[in-house]
Amino acid sequence: MNGGVEGLLERKSAGHLNPRHLVRAQRALAQAAGARLLRATVTGIHRDGPAGPWHVRTQTATTEATVTVRADKLLIAAGSLVNHNNALPRPYRLDLQTFTEPNLLYEVADRHLPALQDLPTVVTIDPEDSGDANLSAYLLPPLRYPDGRWYLRIGPAMQPAVRELRTTDEIHTWYARQRITPQQSALLARMTKVLLPGLEPVSVREACCVVDKTPTRHPYLGHLDKDESLTVAVGGNGHGARGSDEIGRLAATLVLGDRWDLPLSQETFAPAHEPGAAAGRPDYLRPPYGLC
């Protein structure tokens, strides 16, 4: 309604997830099904001829030893780094862009926890403003972090004031520094004041995530080569974590050659190769970039 606010409260099948617990559970399920877990950094991928096996060169963080894994088929799920760090064999590059995802963490004192313990996960949509002043936000209730403290977390739902990360160094620096821009901090503070005007945090921390976007707004799930030995599952568009179980199942379906059983056609998720420099910057890179 004009000039008002509409709200929807979901009591079931809604909330938040712990990414550490999610990855731990998925890893355990994979190993229970017979997967071998090799914790290492991929430093290169190449193939022995057009129809030969793939070779994935890796290096562990604790040693300088290089381990090469041979595979008849590869599934690459490198997220926002898929076009960086030799995650794809040359000359493959996907039409996928990476953006900053700023967050603020508000430390909540123990005495304030009872008043906030029933706060649901909140997502607000501001449809009137599509620019950097958009106040769409997501807010997580107080959660205990690995340092033992309780934090409220807020981020931009429609991703105003984001910045594109175009190089490997830019992505690594954004992660390493964990410092968002003054514009992003001011905008998130304004969002917090609207949602929780009486909040009195013990401290405020900045947190840096990234979000990747595809021009279709759908994940890329498909083969890159004619013999279907190289497959990708990337392009979460801000929804990758919550849909990761199903995305992984569909990716496995493709790799194993099983029947595609999703109501949406497989072509909907076809990977697109990066356009040449002459094509210019696509229109979809202008904000808003879509709801996270």
Side-chain angles (χ1 to χ4, degrees), residues 1 10 42 52 70 81 83 133 143 146 176 181 183 212 217 225-226 269 275 286:
M1 57 185 175
E10 295 183 75
V42 174
R70 179 187 178 280
L81 289 167
N83 285 329
L143 301 173
T181 69
Q183 181 191 17
D212 50 53
R217 297 294 194 271
D225 55 353
K226 291 182 180 179
F269 305 94
R286 292 198 298 265

Side-chain angles (χ1 to χ4, degrees), residues 44-55:
I45 298 174
H46 71 275
R47 193 178 194 185
D48 290 342
W54 291 96
H55 297 272

Side-chain angles (χ1 to χ4, degrees), residues 15-266:
H16 61 271
L17 57 84
N18 184 314
R20 296 178 180 86
H21 293 173
L22 174 67
V23 172
R24 187 180 303 128
Q26 291 173 336
R27 211 164 46 218
L29 288 171
Q31 290 179 284
R36 174 193 172 199
L37 179 62
L38 175 62
R39 301 182 69 90
T41 299
V42 174
T43 58
I45 298 174
H46 71 275
R47 193 178 194 185
D48 290 342
W54 291 96
H55 297 272
V56 182
R57 188 172 64 253
T58 69
Q59 184 172 338
T60 63
T62 56
T63 69
E64 295 183 359
T66 297
V67 177
T68 298
V69 179
R70 179 187 178 280
D72 294 325
K73 293 186 176 182
L74 286 183
L75 170 63
I76 298 176
S80 299
L81 289 167
V82 70
N83 285 329
H84 306 274
N85 287 7
N86 300 314
L88 285 175
R90 297 179 181 177
Y92 299 104
R93 285 185 65 87
L94 297 176
D95 188 3
L96 178 145
Q97 275 71 36
T98 301
F99 300 93
T100 60
E101 173 77 2
N103 284 249
L104 287 180
L105 301 177
Y106 293 93
E107 184 184 353
V108 178
D110 290 343
R111 67 181 185 277
H112 292 154
L113 285 175
L116 296 169
Q117 64 183 359
D118 293 328
L119 180 71
T121 300
V122 177
V123 178
T124 67
I125 304 299
D126 176 11
E128 301 298 327
D129 186 351
S130 62
D132 279 348
N134 191 292
L135 289 181
S136 300
Y138 59 83
L139 177 72
L140 296 183
L143 301 173
R144 188 188 292 274
Y145 276 66
D147 64 1
R149 301 177 182 182
W150 293 82
Y151 295 94
L152 280 159
R153 188 182 191 108
I154 191 168
M158 295 295 286
Q159 296 162 301
V162 299
R163 179 170 61 87
E164 186 179 0
L165 301 170
R166 300 191 182 188
T167 68
T168 306
D169 286 344
E170 287 180 352
I171 296 174
H172 288 175
T173 299
W174 172 253
Y175 269 130
R177 289 182 179 175
Q178 288 294 297
R179 292 295 305 273
I180 67 178
T181 69
Q183 181 191 17
Q184 292 167 339
S185 180
L187 186 63
L188 292 175
R190 183 183 172 196
M191 292 174 177
T192 306
K193 195 169 184 178
V194 170
L195 293 172
L196 294 170
L199 183 66
E200 298 178 359
V202 176
S203 65
V204 182
R205 288 174 47 191
E206 298 176 348
C208 297
C209 300
V210 299
V211 61
D212 50 53
K213 294 293 180 181
T214 65
T216 62
R217 297 294 194 271
H218 295 297
Y220 285 154
L221 289 167
H223 307 296
L224 296 185
D225 55 353
K226 291 182 180 179
D227 66 358
E228 300 183 351
S229 66
L230 179 62
T231 310
V232 294
V234 295
N237 291 277
H239 306 278
R242 74 190 76 175
S244 57
D245 283 344
E246 179 65 5
I247 291 171
R249 186 190 71 84
L250 291 170
T253 295
L254 290 174
V255 172
L256 297 174
D258 294 340
R259 183 179 64 87
W260 181 269
D261 59 0
L262 197 69
L264 294 173
S265 70
Q266 187 175 333

